[in-house]
Amino acid sequence: MNINTITTDDLRHMEGKDGLILQGCGGDLKEWVDGINEMFTEAGILKDGSKFEDVFTFQYGELTCLLYPFEDVKLDIGKLAVWRLQTHENFGGTWLSDFVPNRLGGFIGEPSPEPEKPDCALIGQDGNIFNLVGIAARTLREHDLKDQAKEMKDRVFACGSYGEALCIIGEYVNITDSEAEPEHRPSLRQQIKDAKHTETPQKQKPAKQQER
């Protein structure tokens, strides 16, 4: 396993590539990589025994971030999209292809960068696909993107799975939860350990009846 240190400028030269970025990774970075490999394998996101071997770390402001490139791994992108949406509050997950245009000003050397996607706060909403599509379509219309809103809805309702639908929505809007920046988080294994070892409140014993 290799964890290579890069800069945000290096990210801007990665046009044509994509990956998962986790923000605010505290503790041992190796534990984060091992933990994500283990978690994604159990969830069926990583397929055919593949795992992330070459990962990048970089600083964004005061946050330590990890980039898991999609090259050389076999992924179920639909399942990964669902995982990212459901766990964004905990891991601050975003795509490289969204992070660079929205946070860093775009890729360097792109001949014709795509228009910036509007932010759409879908994380934390009712996960019913009709609800999510409705919110995303309304966001697009509010940004004078009526044609894109119709195109997105047609594609979503013609696709074959929930995960694929989320991927399509993500092509048109930048899926967010709030304006708040991600915070530093303890190591992934520590988070899992804390969750598993949360003490169950002891049942109160009934008060002893007074002797008659």
Side-chain angles (χ1 to χ4, degrees):
M1 178 201 306
N2 297 312
I3 302 178
N4 305 295
T5 300
I6 60 174
T7 67
T8 52
D9 284 340
D10 293 324
L11 294 178
R12 299 187 67 195
H13 287 88
M14 292 184 178
E15 64 269 22
K17 300 180 180 180
D18 212 346
L20 173 69
I21 290 177
L22 301 185
Q23 305 174 71
C25 302
D28 187 343
L29 296 182
K30 184 178 182 298
E31 289 188 1
W32 278 89
V33 177
D34 289 340
I36 288 296
N37 276 325
E38 181 180 330
M39 185 184 299
F40 282 10
T41 298
E42 292 179 356
I45 296 172
L46 283 170
K47 302 190 298 183
D48 299 335
S50 66
K51 61 181 180 179
F52 294 103
E53 296 284 359
D54 293 300
V55 178
F56 299 97
T57 179
F58 63 93
Q59 290 295 130
Y60 178 65
E62 297 182 355
L63 298 176
T64 299
C65 304
L66 283 171
L67 166 62
Y68 296 79
F70 292 162
E71 297 176 324
D72 302 322
V73 292
K74 294 183 179 180
L75 292 166
D76 186 319
I77 294 295
K79 289 183 178 180
L80 178 57
V82 174
W83 179 89
R84 186 182 77 90
L85 187 65
Q86 294 176 340
T87 64
H88 186 274
E89 183 177 351
N90 295 323
F91 299 108
T94 186
W95 307 130
L96 171 65
S97 56
D98 286 338
F99 185 85
V100 173
N102 294 320
R103 300 291 182 87
L104 304 180
F107 291 103
I108 295 175
E110 280 189 332
S112 54
E114 297 180 0
E116 183 175 333
K117 296 182 290 187
D119 289 344
C120 183
L122 295 182
I123 296 169
Q125 299 286 347
D126 179 351
N128 181 284
I129 196 62
F130 292 97
N131 180 57
L132 298 180
V133 169
I135 296 172
R138 183 168 62 250
T139 298
L140 290 169
R141 289 194 295 269
E142 289 173 352
H143 287 78
D144 296 324
L145 299 171
K146 295 181 180 179
D147 291 341
Q148 288 88 332
K150 182 180 184 304
E151 179 182 284
M152 178 196 66
K153 291 173 67 175
D154 291 343
R155 289 182 61 197
V156 166
F157 295 135
C159 75
S161 71
Y162 185 80
E164 184 181 353
L166 289 179
C167 290
I168 293 172
I169 293 173
E171 293 179 18
Y172 293 85
V173 297
N174 181 36
I175 298 175
T176 64
D177 56 348
S178 68
E179 296 297 326
E181 290 289 336
E183 299 177 353
H184 282 288
R185 300 174 180 84
S187 70
L188 180 58
R189 290 191 181 278
Q190 186 62 46
Q191 292 186 55
I192 296 173
K193 181 179 178 181
D194 291 343
K196 289 182 177 179
H197 291 81
T198 301
E199 293 185 359
T200 303
Q202 295 182 351
K203 294 182 179 179
Q204 294 184 350
K205 296 181 179 180
K208 186 177 181 181
Q209 294 182 351
Q210 294 182 349
E211 295 182 359
R212 296 181 179 177

